[in-house]
mmCIF file of all heavy atoms in Angstrom:
data_model
loop_
_atom_site.group_PDB
_atom_site.id
_atom_site.type_symbol
_atom_site.label_atom_id
_atom_site.label_comp_id
_atom_site.label_asym_id
_atom_site.label_seq_id
_atom_site.Cartn_x
_atom_site.Cartn_y
_atom_site.Cartn_z
ATOM 1 N N THR A 221 11.970 30.059 1.706
ATOM 2 C CA THR A 221 11.102 29.938 0.524
ATOM 3 C C THR A 221 11.733 30.783 -0.515
ATOM 4 O O THR A 221 12.490 31.822 -0.336
ATOM 5 C CB THR A 221 9.747 30.453 0.824
ATOM 6 O OG1 THR A 221 9.687 31.849 1.275
ATOM 7 C CG2 THR A 221 9.112 29.676 1.911
ATOM 8 N N ILE A 222 11.437 30.395 -1.823
ATOM 9 C CA ILE A 222 11.798 31.204 -2.974
ATOM 10 C C ILE A 222 10.868 30.838 -4.078
ATOM 11 O O ILE A 222 10.396 29.660 -4.238
ATOM 12 C CB ILE A 222 13.274 30.866 -3.310
ATOM 13 C CG1 ILE A 222 13.810 31.853 -4.430
ATOM 14 C CG2 ILE A 222 13.402 29.439 -3.730
ATOM 15 C CD1 ILE A 222 15.237 31.736 -4.712
ATOM 16 N N ARG A 223 10.565 31.812 -4.891
ATOM 17 C CA ARG A 223 9.746 31.639 -6.043
ATOM 18 C C ARG A 223 10.583 31.647 -7.373
ATOM 19 O O ARG A 223 11.404 32.517 -7.446
ATOM 20 C CB ARG A 223 8.486 32.726 -6.145
ATOM 21 C CG ARG A 223 7.568 32.647 -5.008
ATOM 22 C CD ARG A 223 6.573 33.742 -5.150
ATOM 23 N NE ARG A 223 5.647 33.896 -4.017
ATOM 24 C CZ ARG A 223 4.482 33.375 -4.018
ATOM 25 N NH1 ARG A 223 4.018 32.480 -4.937
ATOM 26 N NH2 ARG A 223 3.658 33.610 -2.949
ATOM 27 N N VAL A 224 10.245 30.735 -8.241
ATOM 28 C CA VAL A 224 10.956 30.740 -9.476
ATOM 29 C C VAL A 224 9.920 30.425 -10.784
ATOM 30 O O VAL A 224 8.905 29.847 -10.506
ATOM 31 C CB VAL A 224 12.141 29.672 -9.583
ATOM 32 C CG1 VAL A 224 13.218 29.966 -8.500
ATOM 33 C CG2 VAL A 224 11.656 28.335 -9.455
ATOM 34 N N ASP A 225 10.359 30.759 -11.798
ATOM 35 C CA ASP A 225 9.825 30.314 -13.079
ATOM 36 C C ASP A 225 10.230 28.947 -13.350
ATOM 37 O O ASP A 225 11.297 28.632 -13.556
ATOM 38 C CB ASP A 225 10.213 31.302 -14.301
ATOM 39 C CG ASP A 225 9.639 30.808 -15.634
ATOM 40 O OD1 ASP A 225 9.052 29.779 -15.726
ATOM 41 O OD2 ASP A 225 9.768 31.651 -16.515
ATOM 42 N N GLY A 226 9.212 28.010 -13.307
ATOM 43 C CA GLY A 226 9.603 26.573 -13.367
ATOM 44 C C GLY A 226 9.878 26.153 -14.776
ATOM 45 O O GLY A 226 10.175 24.929 -14.994
ATOM 46 N N HIS A 227 9.915 27.007 -15.769
ATOM 47 C CA HIS A 227 10.429 26.777 -17.091
ATOM 48 C C HIS A 227 11.682 27.543 -17.487
ATOM 49 O O HIS A 227 12.038 27.557 -18.632
ATOM 50 C CB HIS A 227 9.273 27.050 -18.188
ATOM 51 C CG HIS A 227 8.110 26.272 -17.942
ATOM 52 N ND1 HIS A 227 8.010 24.951 -17.784
ATOM 53 C CD2 HIS A 227 6.845 26.642 -17.440
ATOM 54 C CE1 HIS A 227 6.814 24.393 -17.463
ATOM 55 N NE2 HIS A 227 5.995 25.528 -17.339
ATOM 56 N N ASP A 228 12.326 28.104 -16.400
ATOM 57 C CA ASP A 228 13.581 28.825 -16.635
ATOM 58 C C ASP A 228 14.743 27.968 -15.934
ATOM 59 O O ASP A 228 14.808 28.103 -14.681
ATOM 60 C CB ASP A 228 13.543 30.261 -16.006
ATOM 61 C CG ASP A 228 14.793 30.975 -16.214
ATOM 62 O OD1 ASP A 228 15.824 30.413 -16.489
ATOM 63 O OD2 ASP A 228 14.749 32.187 -15.995
ATOM 64 N N PRO A 229 15.509 27.157 -16.687
ATOM 65 C CA PRO A 229 16.514 26.337 -16.093
ATOM 66 C C PRO A 229 17.497 27.170 -15.270
ATOM 67 O O PRO A 229 17.928 26.709 -14.249
ATOM 68 C CB PRO A 229 17.178 25.701 -17.330
ATOM 69 C CG PRO A 229 16.133 25.668 -18.418
ATOM 70 C CD PRO A 229 15.393 26.984 -18.207
ATOM 71 N N LYS A 230 17.929 28.279 -15.698
ATOM 72 C CA LYS A 230 18.911 29.041 -14.849
ATOM 73 C C LYS A 230 18.357 29.525 -13.544
ATOM 74 O O LYS A 230 18.954 29.407 -12.530
ATOM 75 C CB LYS A 230 19.291 30.273 -15.737
ATOM 76 C CG LYS A 230 20.225 29.980 -16.918
ATOM 77 C CD LYS A 230 20.644 31.169 -17.618
ATOM 78 C CE LYS A 230 21.562 30.879 -18.874
ATOM 79 N NZ LYS A 230 21.937 32.053 -19.555
ATOM 80 N N ALA A 231 16.999 29.908 -13.509
ATOM 81 C CA ALA A 231 16.439 30.297 -12.232
ATOM 82 C C ALA A 231 16.256 29.076 -11.360
ATOM 83 O O ALA A 231 16.444 29.083 -10.085
ATOM 84 C CB ALA A 231 14.944 30.938 -12.561
ATOM 85 N N ILE A 232 15.923 27.950 -11.841
ATOM 86 C CA ILE A 232 15.760 26.713 -11.054
ATOM 87 C C ILE A 232 17.165 26.349 -10.574
ATOM 88 O O ILE A 232 17.253 25.962 -9.337
ATOM 89 C CB ILE A 232 15.190 25.586 -11.940
ATOM 90 C CG1 ILE A 232 13.800 25.904 -12.577
ATOM 91 C CG2 ILE A 232 15.081 24.311 -11.215
ATOM 92 C CD1 ILE A 232 13.290 25.055 -13.701
ATOM 93 N N SER A 233 18.017 26.383 -11.377
ATOM 94 C CA SER A 233 19.490 26.049 -10.963
ATOM 95 C C SER A 233 19.971 26.906 -9.850
ATOM 96 O O SER A 233 20.545 26.348 -8.755
ATOM 97 C CB SER A 233 20.452 26.156 -12.088
ATOM 98 O OG SER A 233 21.807 25.921 -11.687
#
Side-chain angles (χ1 to χ4, degrees):
T221 63
I222 189 170
R223 295 180 186 268
V224 299
D225 178 349
H227 301 300
D228 181 346
K230 290 183 179 179
I232 299 163
S233 176

